[in-house]
Amino acid sequence: MDAALSVTTTVFLEGLLDPNNEQIWLAFDGRYRPIIIAVARRLGLRPEDAEDVAQQTLLLVVRDYRAG
């Protein structure tokens, strides 16, 4: 992973505004999906439900971030 993508930076956040920036989306997903899944599992969700929660959460965060 590019060093610029290893911390949350303005460049990283601005990259999320571009729906065609696959590298940023993959970095965002790789960074936050495991955290969301771990929290969901600690709250008692089954693995498949935790995956669903992570997917929905990431989509909503990006959608809302892009909307401002």
Side-chain angles (χ1 to χ4, degrees):
M1 179 186 306
D2 184 323
L5 300 178
S6 65
V7 295
T8 303
T9 64
T10 302
V11 171
F12 182 85
L13 294 173
E14 287 174 354
L16 290 174
L17 295 173
D18 178 3
N20 297 315
N21 193 333
E22 186 176 344
Q23 181 182 11
I24 291 291
W25 170 255
L26 291 173
F28 177 77
D29 184 74
R31 183 182 305 175
Y32 295 108
R33 181 180 297 270
I35 296 167
I36 297 166
I37 290 170
V39 169
R41 294 286 292 139
R42 272 183 268 163
L43 292 173
L45 272 66
R46 297 179 311 194
E48 59 274 13
D49 293 331
E51 287 283 345
D52 289 344
V53 165
Q55 180 69 21
Q56 188 66 20
T57 301
L58 292 168
L59 289 172
L60 291 173
V61 167
V62 170
R63 181 201 68 192
D64 291 350
Y65 179 72
R66 288 178 180 159

